[in-house]
């Protein structure tokens, strides 16, 4: 079938002159490219497209290639295929990746077949996202490079045979079968992150020498697996296998220890002692001050951004309403210090102050709409819990240990729930319930009407809200112990970081938990097991909650340093130094980072990317 396609006439596109860009192509159907061609914009492939021998297909950054889901031969796999008998150069950038995907509204692995190559002299994929296929890249007797790519939610992440390939700096995850599958091939597999696949790397058979080192392989069903008839022994270089313990690392490998008829894998010089830095798709950026607004005191609360407007309270007793470029809309005197995150809805801004008051202010001009006051307690001190708008309620966690549910429109009390300790964390809502962390170390689950569902004691104070993992809440106590629960309060796992944690909350994103500690580190843990993935030292203790955005973690510390860390790599990408501790989480407004500091200012930073990005 593949050879026969050479005889097909090009349907939907006539042959282009050499290197002539294709600018208005929307659809290819069983087509053959017989002259050098450039793709850009949106490409739809219905059936098979072949790049003939001697022809180069160049795909520009930002191009989107979608495959029609069609299975004419009824084998359960999509027919869509890009066949390369010439050359393929798909060189995207970090900011403008090239995407290969299903055109279906509900994409599934196997919706399209593969990028297929026989006897190609060059396949080069860089910053490509490839998903929804059966076999991703299926190559024989071909030379190629795959780098900085995100290969995910396919059946297999690649199939290589009698080929020579370099695979470096890729993120290969959530492929049903194998992440990397090869036989009788010369491969260099270096500095990749390979996780959550059926088998991370599958070696079917080989009579060639390959290099597999400096990769992070974890949370695969088998991190490395030998084929059923592979009888030779294999030696692998230094990789991280989800653990520094040699026995635990070996337990993630399927070889003679599980099947006595196949070969044995040895790790020499042994597993890496920790997460290997410099892995996964590379990223480069810097930070530059866009503007700042001086206040009369510390700014510890997170700015709340709605429609490119930001609302920021401070220790100077003012609430600042700002535009995306830092211009003042209005300021309102609150009468007391405010260090908790406000809540905002279509009409109002709600803020809690050290005067044990909640104020509702008009979003247009900051005028007072209503106020609510509660009784003092022996626990009155700085760090109040943020406010939560939920349905028609405003949830107020109070120093005196009471959660007040107020009518958001009027401020009247609808119900209250009393705990034994001060409340310094905003409640979180998870569908039909609230989770509430208390300073006495108790975690509570309530219905949306305030009725108790369950409560559990922990060993130390809870000062931050839980993260919602999808399976249930994850909390961290003041001593640095993380505990994951299901929705019914059953413990799923427990992990001690042996570092104190004060006001930085855990954050769930992409099957991981991120946490900055007062011990001066940023941690990433697997959300399913609690296993530590990596730990990144910070300049000093952090009281800030990390913020995840576009593959990066943003977090400040008490030295006044804002750090940007790669979500997957754990690499330090950029920093920005201020003159006071940064205890506020960042917020995104108008493409900028907005946050307060104890230098007495509200800052906006812009992300700066290389002018000539090259590989970035």
């Amino acid at each position: 079938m593949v050879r026969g396609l050479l005889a097909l006439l090009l349907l939907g596109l006539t042959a282009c002159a050499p290197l002539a860009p294709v600018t208005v192509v929307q659809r290819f159907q069983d087509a053959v490219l017989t002259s050098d061609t450039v793709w850009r914009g949106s490409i739809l492939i219905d059936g098979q497209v072949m790049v003939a021998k001697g022809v180069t297909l160049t795909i520009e950054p930002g191009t989107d290639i979608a495959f029609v889901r069609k299975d004419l031969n009824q084998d359960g796999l999509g027919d869509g295929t890009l066949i390369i008998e010439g050359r393929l150069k798909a060189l995207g950038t970090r900011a403008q990746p090239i995407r290969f995907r299903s055109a279906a509204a509900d994409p599934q692995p196997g919706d399209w077949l593969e990028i297929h190559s026989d006897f190609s002299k060059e396949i080069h994929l860089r910053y490509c996202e490839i998903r929804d296929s059966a076999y991703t890249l299926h190559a024989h007797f071909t030379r190629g490079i795959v780098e900085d790519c995100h290969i995910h939610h396919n059946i297999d992440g690649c199939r290589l045979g009698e080929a020579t390939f370099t695979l470096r700096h890729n993120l290969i995850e959530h492929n049903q079968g194998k992440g990397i599958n090869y036989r009788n091939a010369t491969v260099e597999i270096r500095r990749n992150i390979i996780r959550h696949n059926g088998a991370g790397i599958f070696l079917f058979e080989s009579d060639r020498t390959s290099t597999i080192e400096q990769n992070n392989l974890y949370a695969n069903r088998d991190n490395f697996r030998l084929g059923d008839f592979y009888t030779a022994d294999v030696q692998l270089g230094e990789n991280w296998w989800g653990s520094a313990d040699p026995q635990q690392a070996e337990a993630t490998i399927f070889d003679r220890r599980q099947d006595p008829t196949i070969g044995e894998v040895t790790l020499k010089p042994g597993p890496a002692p920790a997460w290997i830095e410099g892995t996964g798709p590379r990223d480069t950026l810097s930070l530059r001050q866009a503007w700042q607004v001086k206040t009369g005191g510390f700014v510890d609360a997170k700015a709340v951004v709605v429609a490119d407007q930001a609302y920021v309270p401070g220790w100077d007793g003012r609430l600042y309403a700002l535009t995306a470029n830092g211009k003042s809309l209005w300021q309102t005197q609150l009468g007391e210090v405010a260090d908790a995150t406000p809540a905002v809805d279509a009409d109002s801004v709600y803020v809690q102050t050290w005067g044990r008051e909640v104020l509702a202010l008009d979003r247009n001009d900051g005028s007072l709409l209503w106020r609510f006051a509660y009784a003092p307690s022996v626990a009155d001190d700085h760090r109040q819990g943020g406010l939560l708008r939920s349905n028609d309620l405003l949830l107020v966690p109070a120093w005196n240990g009471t959660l007040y549910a107020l009518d958001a429109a009027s401020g009247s009390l609808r119900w209250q729930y009393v705990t034994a300790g001060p409340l310094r964390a905003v409640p979180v809502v998870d569908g039909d319930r609230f989770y509430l962390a208390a300073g006495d170390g108790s975690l509570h689950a309530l219905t949306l009407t305030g009725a108790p569902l369950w409560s559990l004691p922990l060993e130390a104070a809870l000062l931050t809200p839980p993260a919602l993992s999808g399976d249930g809440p994850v909390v961290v106590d003041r001593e640095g112990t993380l505990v994951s629960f299901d929705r019914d309060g059953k413990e799923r796992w427990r992990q001690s970081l042996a570092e104190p944690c004060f006001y930085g909350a855990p954050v769930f994103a992409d099957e991981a938990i991120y946490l900055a500690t007062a011990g001066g580190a940023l941690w990433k843990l697997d959300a399913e097991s609690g296993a530590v993935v990596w730990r990144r030292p910070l300049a000093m203790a952090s009281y800030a909650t990390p913020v995840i955005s576009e593959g990066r973690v943003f977090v400040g510390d008490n030295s006044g340093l804002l750090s940007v860390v790669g979500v997957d790599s754990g690499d330090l990408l950029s920093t920005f130094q201020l003159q006071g501790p940064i205890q506020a989480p960042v917020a995104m407004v108008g493409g900028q980072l907005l946050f307060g500091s104890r230098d007495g200012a509200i800052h906006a930073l812009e992300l700066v990317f290389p002018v000539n990005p090259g590989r970035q």
Side-chain angles (χ1 to χ4, degrees):
M1 178 185 295
V2 171
R3 298 292 180 185
L5 283 173
L6 284 171
L8 292 176
L9 294 175
L10 179 62
L11 302 179
L13 179 72
T14 57
C16 299
L19 297 179
V22 177
T23 57
V24 193
V25 172
Q26 292 185 342
R27 188 183 189 94
F28 288 85
Q29 185 172 11
D30 293 333
V32 178
L33 304 183
T34 57
S35 298
D36 290 350
T37 303
V38 176
W39 280 356
R40 60 169 63 93
S42 296
I43 306 296
L44 183 66
I45 295 179
D46 184 356
Q48 297 181 334
V49 172
M50 171 180 281
V51 179
K53 288 184 181 298
V55 174
T56 297
L57 172 61
T58 301
I59 305 178
E60 294 194 345
T63 302
D64 179 70
I65 301 101
F67 293 80
V68 173
R69 182 165 64 191
K70 182 186 295 183
D71 183 14
L72 296 180
N73 61 6
Q74 297 297 300
D75 64 353
L77 300 176
D79 300 332
T81 309
L82 178 60
I83 302 166
I84 309 297
E85 293 201 345
R87 286 180 166 87
L88 172 64
K89 296 181 180 180
L91 307 181
T93 67
R94 173 66 169 75
Q96 291 185 294
I98 295 167
R99 290 187 168 87
F100 297 85
R101 61 176 180 86
S102 168
D106 58 337
Q108 303 294 325
D111 276 358
W112 58 284
L113 194 62
E114 62 196 10
I115 301 171
H116 186 99
S117 173
D118 286 329
F119 298 98
S120 173
K121 294 182 179 179
E122 182 181 12
I123 300 288
H124 196 169
L125 305 176
R126 180 193 294 161
Y127 287 107
C128 294
E129 179 187 7
I130 311 177
R131 58 170 299 158
D132 315 320
S133 76
Y135 309 128
T136 307
L137 174 64
H138 194 174
H140 302 92
F141 307 104
T142 293
R143 303 183 71 88
I145 297 172
V146 181
E147 58 184 342
D148 301 295
C149 291
H150 186 195
I151 299 170
H152 65 105
H153 291 95
N154 305 284
I155 294 177
D156 282 349
C158 69
R159 288 188 172 188
L160 307 177
E162 288 85 25
T164 300
F165 265 85
T166 297
L167 297 98
R168 61 193 178 209
H169 288 285
N170 301 294
L171 172 59
I172 302 173
E173 62 177 348
H174 296 294
N175 299 290
Q176 292 178 349
K178 296 92 175 176
I180 298 174
N181 180 6
Y182 73 99
R183 65 175 181 84
N184 293 338
T186 300
V187 296
E188 178 185 331
I189 303 173
R190 194 187 301 270
R191 294 200 174 275
N192 303 281
I193 300 172
I194 305 170
R195 65 190 184 198
H196 301 296
N197 304 285
I201 300 175
F202 181 79
L203 174 53
F204 181 66
E205 60 183 41
S206 182
D207 57 5
R208 304 189 188 185
T209 301
S210 295
T211 301
I212 303 174
E213 63 184 13
Q214 297 298 296
N215 303 284
N216 291 308
L217 300 102
Y218 71 101
N220 301 286
R221 188 165 60 243
D222 297 305
N223 283 337
F224 188 92
R225 185 181 180 112
L226 294 180
D228 293 345
F229 304 104
Y230 191 98
T231 58
D233 293 338
V234 176
Q235 180 176 303
L236 300 178
E238 186 180 56
N239 300 276
W240 186 73
W241 302 89
S243 171
D245 181 83
Q247 290 185 334
Q248 292 184 25
E250 290 171 357
T252 71
I253 296 171
F254 189 96
D255 64 355
R256 184 174 297 156
R257 283 160 286 207
Q258 289 76 30
D259 182 349
T261 66
I262 61 176
E264 182 175 350
V265 177
T266 58
L267 307 180
K268 192 172 183 179
W275 178 266
I276 296 172
E277 296 188 3
T279 55
R282 288 162 285 192
D283 192 8
T284 298
L285 76 155
S286 59
L287 300 173
R288 179 170 60 203
Q289 185 98 47
W291 52 262
Q292 64 175 327
V293 173
K294 290 289 188 180
T295 77
F298 298 160
V299 183
D300 289 340
K302 181 178 181 178
V304 176
V305 177
V306 179
D308 284 345
Q309 296 180 0
Y311 303 90
V312 192
W315 280 50
D316 62 356
R318 291 183 175 272
L319 178 68
Y320 296 82
L322 305 171
T323 66
N325 59 6
K327 293 184 179 179
S328 178
L329 294 169
W330 49 261
Q331 297 179 21
T332 291
Q333 179 58 247
L334 303 173
E336 253 292 6
V337 170
D339 66 358
T341 301
V344 179
D345 60 25
D347 302 311
S348 306
V349 183
Y350 308 89
V351 62
Q352 180 170 206
T353 77
W354 284 16
R356 297 173 299 278
E357 284 190 324
V358 178
L359 307 178
L361 308 173
D362 189 295
R363 272 188 61 187
N364 294 317
D365 57 13
S367 59
L368 181 67
L369 300 175
W370 55 256
R371 73 173 69 226
F372 173 85
Y374 56 86
S377 75
V378 296
D380 292 359
D381 195 358
H382 71 281
R383 282 307 162 121
Q384 292 179 312
L387 304 178
L388 173 68
R389 275 287 280 113
S390 178
N391 296 323
D392 59 346
L393 297 178
L394 179 71
L395 279 295
V396 180
W399 278 335
N400 63 20
T402 302
L403 177 66
Y404 296 101
L406 308 180
D407 182 273
S410 66
S412 61
L413 180 64
R414 298 270 288 273
W415 53 262
Q416 62 185 36
Y417 179 84
V418 180
T419 72
L423 301 181
R424 304 193 188 278
V426 61
V428 296
V429 61
D430 182 18
D432 62 349
R433 65 194 60 196
F434 298 113
Y435 296 114
L436 179 66
D440 66 343
S442 59
L443 176 66
H444 305 260
L446 313 174
T447 70
L448 299 184
T449 58
L453 293 170
W454 50 262
S455 63
L456 295 169
L458 280 82
E459 296 177 359
L462 301 179
L463 304 178
T464 67
L468 295 178
S469 71
D471 294 305
V474 180
V475 296
V476 64
D477 67 23
R478 188 170 53 192
E479 304 304 317
T481 298
L482 278 155
V483 188
S484 173
F485 298 96
D486 67 17
R487 283 171 54 85
D488 295 325
K490 181 180 179 181
E491 185 173 319
R492 299 176 63 243
W493 52 259
R494 179 179 295 246
Q495 177 68 263
S496 175
L497 305 183
E499 293 182 3
C501 296
F502 293 152
Y503 303 116
V507 175
F508 172 77
D510 296 329
E511 300 178 88
I513 299 293
Y514 300 85
L515 177 69
T517 71
L522 176 66
W523 294 73
K524 178 178 181 177
L525 300 94
D526 184 85
E528 179 63 28
S529 66
V532 175
V533 177
W534 49 253
R535 177 185 183 273
R536 158 63 58 182
L538 300 173
M540 193 177 283
S542 177
Y543 292 0
T545 298
V547 171
I548 316 296
S549 178
E550 297 186 352
R552 305 176 183 107
V553 188
F554 301 86
V555 66
D557 63 40
N558 285 351
S559 75
L561 191 71
L562 181 73
S563 297
V564 187
V565 176
V567 162
D568 297 307
S569 67
D571 294 341
L572 183 64
L573 305 178
S574 187
T575 60
F576 194 89
Q577 184 69 59
L578 297 180
Q579 298 305 307
I582 304 170
Q583 299 189 2
V586 304
M588 306 297 291
V589 55
Q592 298 174 340
L593 307 177
L594 180 65
F595 60 97
S597 168
R598 291 198 164 190
D599 65 1
I602 302 166
H603 298 269
L605 306 181
E606 56 184 358
L607 281 60
V608 181
F609 300 98
V611 175
N612 184 7
R615 288 187 176 176
Q616 304 302 327

